[in-house]
Amino acid sequence: MRRNATTLLPSAMLTDVGLSRQRGINQDAALVLDLPRGGLYAVADGMGGHAAGELASNLALDQLSTGFLNGKGSSPERLAEAVQAANLAVLRSAVGEFVGMGTTLIALLVERGVALLAHVGDSRAYLLRGGDLHRLTEDHSWVAEQVRLGHLTEAEARNHQWRSVVSNALGGEERVRLELYGFTLQKNDRLLLCSDGLSSVVDEAELHALLSAGWPPSQTTRQLIDAANAQGGPDNITAIVVDIDQLGGMPSYTLPSRREDGPMYVDLLLSSRRGNSPVTYMALVLVYFTLMGLILYPQHRTPIGTVGLVLLAALLTASMFRNRLKMRDGSLLPDLPIYSAKLQLPSEEAATSPSPDRRRVAPPNSMGKN
């Protein structure tokens, strides 16, 4: 789905049912929503049966866009609340023949000179910058957890029978667990959002080659889909490519940092942003003592009020300056694999090896995609 006719950033989306599923239903959905200072982009990969998966992914993206546009507060809070609204929409529709449905979600908000990522499940985001391809997300899946624990290698995970079983999805419970973080953008950055129908069969070396080939977004998405189908196209395939050809200024809000402990319940995430920062506590303490001084020493209210306001302004200015310095720091990118331009494409033997089996076998407390 695309919203609005005018595209502010060069971008393209393409979704395909997949070579092996030509007679099936496409359970993937994509969103491109142009905004005055950038855009909102998202990919959802539904699960729970053909009709249920298609409903879940489209319902989630409809609610995501509506929730963000109608939300209040800063962009990180609006994005998190929109993801929660999408989660509830899927959960409350999972009745009757749709019981057990869910969907992954990867959402990218480009605003001025920064990007915000909201991530639930195993759809992925990548950033091509300066000749290197950065993976921006870690999969919320059983095999990814085994890789992190050292029980499986990346190669073993790619071919494991449970490789498509997600451990986190929209519609799984009342409160969504998500990862939300931001980073600064640079001119000529290229961003990719995709479902696992692409990332599970086209490895990062080939993704890097295709994204850096110099094609415009529309041709790049076509080449990405073709590459997945060349590997058998065992699943629905969706790709969104966004090029950053111009930058705005920095936003006034603080960019959320990526947490090393994985996804977090949305209410805890929002409360940590809204009222638990050291600057917030210091500001409240300063206001409290200023008010107490005005009450106890009314004859000195002018100097007390002036000192209080000056200190509060200095605190907020210092905090804003610190945030701007952090936003300009490249370390805001996650410490995840980087694929260099020096990497070679897979060998001919690897490229012609059989496509992995796509059976979906769900271990306890996980969700399998059809």
Side-chain angles (χ1 to χ4, degrees), residues 135-150:
R135 198 176 85 203
L136 299 178
T137 55
E138 286 188 286
D139 297 345
H140 302 165
S141 66
W142 184 84
V143 294
E145 182 63 24
Q146 298 309 301
V147 170
R148 287 191 285 271
L149 293 173

Side-chain angles (χ1 to χ4, degrees), residues 198 201-202 206 210 222-233:
L198 176 64
V201 295
V202 179
E206 189 172 0
L210 294 171
R222 180 72 268 172
Q223 293 291 333
L224 291 166
I225 300 297
D226 289 347
N229 278 324
Q231 295 295 324

Side-chain angles (χ1 to χ4, degrees), residues 158-164 234 354-361:
R158 182 175 289 273
N159 295 285
H160 199 279
Q161 63 174 343
W162 288 349
R163 65 195 170 279
S164 296
S355 298
D357 174 36
R358 299 291 293 176
R359 290 172 296 166
R360 311 284 184 154
V361 183

